């Protein structure tokens, strides 16, 4: 009886708390700002977990099996695990809120990293591959965390929220690889193989990221956003026909947002994957390859705050078109520029990263704009599955294209493919402008 009374009191308290947010836009903005701080903290740790493990995953598999033929398997497993986890994290977030969905995803990634360490100790390939698959959950969660800051953001704040999550991921992603040697020495000191050391860091980082979200992300911004949306829908006097039209428009926006992110991911990974091989064929050393890829990764994340500002101020459609044009220029430059010129290679790969950055932030904003809270997290998870799979497909097909043709052909194909985004986003943008008169304010 006492348990029943306590549960009733808890439900009543939660309802009262939600009502206070529904009635106060000031409280909504306070929670939005607090959510951004929590997301930034978690993403710093999440980025470290992502980068530290990926840096040595292929080397660990190579070392345990004694052959180069398996070096691509860890990346494939990360991707497969990431795709499956994206779907599950999206479903969990839709049902239980961002706090639970993201915390479970990061904790699963941490458990996967622990499994990798144990596999290295036992020299078990089966456990290694299974653990790498689970470790991919951290990758998916790291990407989906960018949505958490947008739940209570108004339309003019959403891209900024996305960009803050991406920039904070960069801090961890830069720190992780730089700690590889330190963690290797630490691993040896406790009797663990050196290459498993970074996965100790990954496990700790992912678990801390999950705990930060689970403990601090209260009240859950997604649950609050759904309560606000439900209250507004109840008080709305829109006609059924208008609601049906809005639903159709939202589907078109979802397609446009997904297309931007999926195509930019495909083009970026296809060209990036084969650039080190292309450079090796033209006698560039590992230091030069590292420099080019370093500029590329920097361009993927560091401009995020500026990109977020531009997406919010200039518009989603404009920045999505800018993504397509930037990727096109990058592909053409990579194809026709002198292969022995470091300036050309750095410029081409930096533009490739920048075009991806424009596409991910504008595409995410379009997707959030086009989904009501009642289906938002589930839809976001499904789209992130497509993003992960498109990246894997782009990376896989790129090798076949270069093997049967050339790096120039691959780059030109990527450039032309990126231009498909322009008619897609223009069509969705014009439809969205026609819908503004009937749009329900979230």
């Amino acid at each position: 009886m006492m348990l029943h009374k306590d549960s009733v009191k808890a439900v009543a308290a939660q309802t009262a708390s939600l009502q206070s947010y529904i009635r106060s836009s000031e409280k909504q903005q306070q929670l939005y700002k607090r959510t951004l701080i929590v997301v930034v903290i978690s993403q710093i740790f999440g980025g470290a977990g992502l980068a530290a493990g990926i840096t040595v995953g292929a080397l660990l598999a190579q070392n345990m099996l004694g052959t180069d033929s398996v070096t691509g398997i860890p990346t494939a497993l990360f991707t497969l695990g990431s795709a499956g986890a994206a779907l599950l994290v999206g479903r969990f977030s839709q049902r239980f809120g961002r706090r639970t969905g993201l915390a479970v995803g990061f904790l699963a990634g941490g458990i996967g990293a622990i499994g990798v360490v144990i596999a290295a100790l036992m020299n078990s390939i089966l456990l290694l591959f299974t653990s790498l698959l689970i470790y991919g959950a951290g990758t998916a969660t790291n990407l989906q965390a960018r949505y958490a800051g947008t739940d209570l953001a108004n339309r003019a704040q959403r891209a900024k929220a996305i960009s803050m999550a991406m920039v904070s991921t960069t801090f961890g992603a830069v720190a992780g690889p730089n700690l590889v040697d330190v963690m290797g020495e630490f691993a040896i000191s406790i009797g663990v193989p050196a290459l498993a050391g970074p996965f100790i860091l990954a496990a700790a980082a992912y678990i801390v990221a999950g705990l930060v979200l689970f403990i601090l992300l209260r009240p859950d911004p997604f649950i609050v956003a759904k309560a606000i949306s439900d209250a507004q829908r109840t008080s709305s006097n829109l006609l059924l026909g208008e609601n049906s039209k809005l639903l159709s428009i939202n589907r078109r926006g979802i397609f446009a947002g997904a297309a931007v992110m999926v195509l930019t991911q495909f083009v970026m990974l296809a060209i990036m994957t084969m650039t080190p091989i292309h450079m090796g064929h033209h006698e560039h050393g590992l230091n030069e390859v590292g420099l080019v890829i370093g500029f590329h990764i920097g361009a993927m994340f560091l401009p995020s705050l500026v990109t977020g500002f531009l997406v919010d101020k200039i518009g989603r459609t404009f920045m999505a078109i800018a993504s397509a044009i930037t990727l096109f220029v990058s592909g053409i430059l990579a194809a026709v520029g002198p292969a022995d010129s470091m300036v050309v290679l750095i410029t081409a790969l930096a533009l490739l990263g920048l075009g991806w950055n424009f596409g991910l932030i504008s595409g995410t904003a379009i997707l959030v704009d086009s989904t009501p809270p009642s289906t938002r997290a589930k839809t976001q998870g499904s789209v992130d599955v497509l993003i992960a799979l498109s990246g894997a497909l782009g990376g896989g097909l790129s090798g076949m294209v270069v093997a049967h043709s050339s790096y120039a052909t691959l780059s030109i194909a990527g450039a032309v493919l990126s231009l498909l985004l322009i008619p897609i986003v223009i069509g969705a943008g014009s439809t969205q402008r026609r819908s503004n008169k009937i749009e329900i304010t979230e």
Side-chain angles (χ1 to χ4, degrees):
M1 191 67 176
M2 287 294 294
L3 288 174
H4 176 68
K5 287 182 179 179
D6 289 342
S7 63
V8 170
K9 288 180 180 178
V11 171
Q14 183 183 39
T15 302
S17 175
L18 289 175
Q19 286 297 322
S20 70
Y21 284 100
I22 291 171
R23 291 191 295 265
S24 173
S25 59
E26 183 178 350
K27 288 197 69 173
Q28 293 172 24
Q29 283 298 298
Q30 288 173 351
L31 182 56
Y32 159 70
K33 292 175 182 177
R34 185 169 180 270
T35 298
L36 279 184
I37 293 172
V38 174
V39 169
V40 164
I41 295 171
S42 71
Q43 286 296 87
I44 291 173
F45 287 103
L50 168 69
I54 288 178
T55 303
V56 298
L59 295 175
L60 182 60
Q62 179 192 44
N63 187 65
M64 289 176 67
L65 281 176
T67 175
D68 292 341
S69 62
V70 296
T71 53
I73 292 179
T75 301
L77 290 171
F78 294 155
T79 304
L80 185 59
S82 174
L87 192 64
L88 293 175
V89 170
R91 296 294 191 274
F92 265 72
S93 297
Q94 187 67 56
R95 185 168 183 179
F96 303 110
R98 296 285 184 199
R99 172 174 159 263
T100 301
L102 295 176
V104 167
F106 273 131
L107 291 175
I111 291 170
I114 292 171
V116 171
V117 176
I118 296 173
L121 278 170
M122 297 173 59
N123 198 34
S124 171
I125 295 299
L126 179 60
L127 180 58
L128 174 67
F129 288 169
T130 302
S131 298
L132 287 171
L133 192 67
I134 299 171
Y135 172 76
T139 307
T141 309
N142 216 58
L143 186 61
Q144 282 209 27
R146 76 191 189 280
Y147 293 120
T150 68
D151 288 327
L152 288 170
N154 59 45
R155 185 180 173 86
Q157 296 172 320
R158 286 171 181 161
K160 174 187 174 184
I162 298 161
S163 66
M164 288 186 69
M166 289 181 63
V167 166
S168 54
T169 301
T170 310
F171 297 138
V174 169
N178 289 321
L179 293 173
V180 166
D181 289 339
V182 174
M183 292 307 300
E185 293 173 4
F186 172 74
I188 292 172
S189 72
I190 60 174
V192 174
L195 287 175
F199 282 96
I200 299 175
L201 173 62
Y206 276 158
I207 290 171
V208 170
L211 290 175
V212 164
L213 289 164
F214 190 75
I215 295 170
L216 299 181
L217 204 60
R218 298 168 183 264
D220 192 297
F222 185 72
I223 292 175
V224 173
K226 281 204 296 184
I228 294 169
S229 177
D230 290 344
Q232 290 174 341
R233 190 180 298 111
T234 300
S235 63
S236 174
N237 292 320
L238 291 175
L239 297 174
L240 179 61
E242 291 175 324
N243 283 326
S244 299
K245 184 178 179 183
L246 182 58
L247 182 61
S248 175
I249 291 167
N250 282 341
R251 286 200 190 102
R252 194 164 184 175
I254 290 168
F255 173 76
V260 171
M261 291 186 282
V262 167
L263 277 174
T264 53
Q265 182 82 349
F266 181 88
V267 171
M268 184 275 290
L269 268 172
I271 296 176
M272 183 200 72
T273 299
M274 295 311 298
T275 297
I277 307 299
H278 172 67
M279 292 180 68
H281 290 162
H282 290 83
E283 300 181 354
H284 289 284
L286 286 178
N287 288 337
E288 291 172 310
V289 171
L291 183 63
V292 170
I293 298 301
F295 272 96
H296 169 70
I297 293 174
M300 286 174 65
F301 293 101
L302 292 179
S304 294
L305 288 178
V306 176
T307 303
F309 174 81
L310 293 173
V311 170
D312 281 335
K313 294 298 180 182
I314 300 177
R316 282 80 160 125
T317 300
F318 181 90
M319 291 305 295
I321 292 172
S323 169
I325 294 172
T326 305
L327 290 173
F328 176 80
V329 173
S330 168
I332 296 300
L333 185 60
V336 304
D340 58 352
S341 171
M342 283 294 292
V343 173
V344 169
L345 289 168
I346 287 173
T347 303
L349 268 291
L351 288 174
L352 186 69
L354 186 62
W356 177 87
N357 179 271
F358 289 170
L360 185 69
I361 295 178
S362 62
T364 301
I366 293 170
L367 181 64
V368 175
D369 291 345
S370 304
T371 48
S374 58
T375 60
R376 180 170 292 159
K378 184 169 67 173
T379 303
Q380 290 165 344
S382 299
V383 170
D384 277 5
V385 171
L386 297 177
I387 294 172
L389 294 178
S390 73
L393 183 64
L397 289 178
S398 64
M400 288 186 277
V401 171
V402 171
H404 290 89
S405 183
S406 66
Y407 177 78
T409 300
L410 173 71
S411 300
I412 291 173
V416 173
L417 187 61
S418 65
L419 294 181
L420 291 177
L421 291 176
I422 296 177
I424 291 173
V425 296
I426 288 177
S430 62
T431 304
Q432 181 62 39
R433 285 191 293 273
R434 291 196 301 271
S435 73
N436 284 340
K437 294 179 181 180
I438 64 169
E439 185 175 9
I440 301 173
T441 305
E442 291 180 7

